[in-house]
Amino acid sequence: MKYLFVTFVTVGFLVACAPKTTEIIEVVETTTETTETDGEMPKADIAEGKVVFLTNCIGCHAYGGPTSAEGIDKYSKERIDKVLPAMIENAELNDEQARQVAAYIYWEIEN
């Protein structure tokens, strides 16, 4: 009986101290399909741009005036090209946010 107990303890110890072999599976999400509106801006940028606009810009562009989110399409692309850099700087947006807001605004103008 002693030998059986010692055998079980020894086998248990060897199993517990054995190197663990666990397969690690890395999931990598890649998008092969790019859906673009006009060949320049991915739809994800447009959606994120709307979020950035509503978060950072709507404080000044609110209440349904001509510069609100509903009134963006009243301006020409040329006018937006002139005003947008100053607005991005005023809102203190980083490069990614600036790209996203521009994508959203240009999409609003075109649609």
Side-chain angles (χ1 to χ4, degrees):
M1 191 58 129
K2 253 194 214 181
Y3 296 111
L4 189 58
F5 179 73
V6 170
T7 304
F8 282 125
V9 170
T10 304
V11 170
F13 180 74
L14 291 174
V15 169
C17 294
K20 307 297 186 257
T21 55
T22 304
E23 184 178 352
I24 299 174
I25 300 173
E26 182 177 340
V27 177
V28 178
E29 293 184 27
T30 58
T31 305
T32 57
E33 177 184 336
T34 57
T35 308
E36 298 184 359
T37 57
D38 62 352
E40 295 179 14
M41 299 174 279
K43 286 186 177 181
D45 277 353
I46 295 168
E48 289 297 322
K50 184 173 184 176
V51 172
V52 173
F53 181 87
L54 294 174
T55 304
N56 297 299
C57 306
I58 204 69
C60 296
H61 299 276
Y63 309 116
T67 57
S68 69
E70 292 82 23
I72 291 173
D73 58 346
K74 295 179 182 173
Y75 292 95
S76 67
K77 185 178 183 311
E78 293 77 24
R79 175 73 177 141
I80 294 295
D81 286 340
K82 291 178 185 175
V83 175
L84 192 59
M87 294 296 168
I88 288 171
E89 185 177 329
N90 189 36
E92 299 178 357
L93 302 179
N94 63 33
D95 291 339
E96 181 180 10
Q97 291 171 325
R99 185 190 76 245
Q100 292 168 341
V101 166
Y104 167 65
I105 290 173
Y106 290 131
W107 181 84
E108 280 286 339
I109 291 170
E110 293 170 2
N111 296 305

